[in-house]
Amino acid sequence: MDEISSLAKSLMVLDDKLASCMKCGFCQAFCPVFDTTGKEGDVTRGKIALVENLAHLIIQDPEAVNEKLSRCLLCGGCQFSCPSGVPTLEIFMEARAIVTAYLGLSPVKKAIFRKLLPNPRVVDTLLRAGSPFQKLLLKDEQNPQKTACAPLLKSLFGDRHMPLLSDKPLRSKVGKVDRPAGKSGLRVAFFPGCMGDKIYTGVSEACLKVFEHHGVGVFLSDNFACCGIPALVSGDREGVEKMIEHNLGILSRTHFDYIVTPCSSCTMTIKEYWPEMSRNLPASVQETAKKFGAKAIDINAFLVDVLGVHPEGPAKGGLKVTYHESCHLKKSLGVSKQPRELINMNKNCELVEMVEPDRCCGCGGSFTLTHYDISQRIGQKKRDSIVATGADVVATGCPACMMQLSDMLARNGDRARVRHTIELYADTL
């Protein structure tokens, strides 16, 4: 009875958010999935119609409902462009949580979201044990993207071109950092994110280099857990809550002015979803999540808007750089000009804009795992836009986008390298 009551309450909350959708179809022009498949069920308007009948359909065929809801990148393009301001991201995440609660979480996801990701020490131990074997399972391709294929695991990964795990995670390379504010008078809590800790450690090291250069004090824990977005998009509230509580416990023990991340998905999750997903936790936790959420800021925005890093003008160097807008960075956080400012700080670069720089690359986190065929087709369009610029480098502000772009470029044998904007700026210091 309690479960039915909880389900009814969740559906009522959804009803209030659905009321503003006029079914105008304007979202069709901004949905990369619909643009690829042409199916009405894949566009926002179609999914909202599905959610409106969720109470009936979830009982009739919950697996089908789950599949249709999963065919969304959660890129936010529809919400960003909606003339009625419909909170589509909130609606779809809420709907996924309802369906997950009804169906139950798979044992594998339950183990990952509730046991592994909230316990970074356990994750580190497993990765440390498995890291030596990646060279046996992965075929290093020796390409500009530094990716590898897994022919022995083709049934699991297909023909993806994947980045290798770093030889050492960031927390093993630099350990815990607890440095006071310098000439800037500011101190930040640096949250590298999972990919910044385990794969793109060079991005995180570039951030630390930049902080030191500008006299910014840094707190970096060697025990941060995942921000929670993988569990969030899978509808696992319990897993998200565990990760939030773990990270808040660490952050509550120190002082800082901002939480800075090089991952737009982490920034968005901390800023918007930690407060939202803490509503069932104790009042003190809710208040802390709200306070820290207000302090979350992307590394590009921190440097330009807070520290005042600005170029004298457009750089005209020999290296052609094009910029891909991360969906969460532009559409959720409103950060668009700042990454370009950092690129122009590098006098060895020349910024060349691609067509539709804010068009989604097709990653969408778990979307690329569950719907790789659609993800690949969306990614191929982005790759074509990159190559058409003749760029030597494609820069972006999101590690997940870096992974997707590397896959697409490597698949086509392209020479363009993928780098984070903070790396290009750090090169100048």
Side-chain angles (χ1 to χ4, degrees):
M1 185 63 70
D2 287 342
E3 290 181 5
I4 295 174
S5 175
S6 177
L7 178 62
K9 185 178 178 182
S10 296
L11 288 168
M12 286 174 64
V13 171
L14 263 184
D15 283 342
D16 293 338
K17 294 177 180 178
L18 290 166
S20 56
C21 180
M22 301 184 299
K23 309 295 190 299
C24 66
F26 191 64
C27 48
Q28 287 184 344
F30 302 95
C31 178
V33 178
F34 176 77
D35 181 57
T36 304
T37 67
K39 294 181 179 179
E40 176 67 18
D42 286 337
V43 79
T44 306
R45 180 175 64 179
K47 287 188 177 66
I48 283 183
L50 172 74
V51 174
E52 285 176 333
N53 296 288
L54 193 58
H56 172 70
L57 295 174
I58 198 174
I59 296 171
Q60 188 180 61
D61 193 348
E63 294 288 355
V65 172
N66 193 39
E67 163 60 19
K68 287 177 182 177
L69 286 174
S70 73
R71 290 169 68 89
C72 175
L73 287 153
L74 296 174
C75 67
C78 52
Q79 179 171 302
F80 181 75
S81 309
C82 179
S84 302
V86 180
T88 52
L89 288 180
E90 291 179 27
I91 289 170
F92 295 150
M93 287 190 183
E94 188 76 29
R96 288 185 183 190
I98 291 170
V99 174
T100 298
Y102 186 86
L103 282 172
L105 206 61
S106 72
V108 173
K109 285 187 175 181
K110 192 177 290 187
I112 292 172
F113 297 152
R114 299 180 186 179
K115 300 295 182 183
L116 287 180
L117 294 184
N119 296 286
R121 304 289 191 208
V122 176
V123 176
D124 284 352
T125 299
L126 291 175
L127 290 178
R128 216 166 26 241
S131 182
F133 295 100
Q134 69 174 334
K135 293 181 180 178
L136 298 176
L137 297 173
L138 301 178
K139 180 183 177 184
D140 191 346
E141 300 170 316
Q142 297 294 315
N143 59 32
Q145 288 76 38
K146 298 180 181 178
T147 57
C149 284
L152 298 178
L153 300 174
K154 193 166 185 176
S155 60
L156 185 63
F157 296 112
D159 56 355
R160 285 180 177 83
H161 300 249
M162 301 172 290
L164 293 165
L165 287 170
S166 176
D167 291 338
K168 285 184 177 181
L170 181 72
R171 66 188 72 200
S172 295
K173 285 184 175 182
V174 303
K176 182 178 180 181
V177 178
D178 195 354
R179 192 168 64 229
K183 63 184 179 182
S184 71
L186 297 172
R187 177 172 149 91
V188 303
F190 178 55
F191 192 92
C194 296
M195 297 185 74
D197 179 59
K198 297 169 178 62
I199 297 176
Y200 297 115
T201 55
V203 172
S204 297
E205 290 175 293
C207 291
L208 294 173
K209 179 181 179 181
V210 169
F211 293 143
E212 184 173 6
H213 174 79
H214 287 284
V216 176
V218 178
F219 169 74
L220 169 62
S221 173
D222 59 356
N223 195 32
F224 276 135
C226 171
C227 71
I229 196 168
L232 182 65
V233 299
S234 295
D236 181 27
R237 290 183 181 279
E238 184 179 330
V240 178
E241 289 172 353
K242 285 187 174 184
M243 290 176 235
I244 290 173
E245 287 191 289
H246 177 93
N247 289 321
L248 289 181
I250 293 172
L251 291 167
S252 296
R253 294 193 290 270
T254 189
H255 165 75
F256 51 86
D257 301 291
Y258 296 92
I259 300 176
V260 180
T261 92
C263 173
S264 54
S265 296
C266 287
T267 310
M268 181 192 70
T269 302
I270 296 169
K271 192 176 192 65
E272 299 181 8
Y273 293 113
W274 278 15
E276 173 70 19
M277 298 304 293
S278 299
R279 63 179 183 266
N280 295 327
L281 298 174
S284 60
V285 177
Q286 294 180 45
E287 189 59 34
T288 303
K290 189 183 298 182
K291 181 178 75 173
F292 288 165
K295 292 186 176 187
I297 187 170
D298 168 74
I299 183 69
N300 296 276
F302 176 72
L303 289 172
V304 175
D305 298 340
V306 179
L307 295 185
V309 173
H310 296 286
E312 295 176 359
K316 295 292 181 181
L319 197 67
K320 285 189 176 182
V321 179
T322 193
Y323 176 64
H324 161 67
E325 306 252 26
S326 156
C327 292
H328 290 162
L329 194 55
K330 179 182 179 181
K331 294 163 188 171
S332 295
L333 299 171
V335 176
S336 180
K337 179 186 74 172
Q338 299 91 327
R340 292 174 168 86
E341 294 272 87
L342 294 191
I343 293 171
N344 281 318
M345 287 294 294
N346 191 322
K347 299 303 180 185
N348 294 319
C349 297
E350 178 185 354
L351 179 62
V352 288
E353 295 285 358
M354 71 175 81
V355 175
E356 294 186 301
D358 60 349
R359 195 68 171 174
C360 182
C361 69
C363 180
S366 60
F367 182 89
T368 190
L369 297 175
T370 56
H371 298 92
Y372 186 57
D373 55 333
I374 301 174
S375 174
Q376 182 183 333
R377 286 156 67 190
I378 296 170
Q380 183 66 28
K381 289 183 179 181
K382 174 59 68 172
R383 171 265 171 192
D384 293 345
S385 296
I386 293 168
V387 172
T389 67
D392 304 295
V393 172
V394 53
T396 187
C398 174
C401 291
M402 291 175 69
M403 183 171 66
Q404 174 79 344
L405 297 175
S406 294
D407 182 10
M408 295 302 110
L409 292 167
R411 173 182 296 282
N412 288 274
D414 298 315
R415 64 180 178 82
R417 294 176 59 204
V418 180
R419 300 194 74 192
H420 196 288
T421 50
I422 194 65
E423 292 181 289
L424 293 178
Y425 175 58
D427 284 349
T428 70
L429 306 180

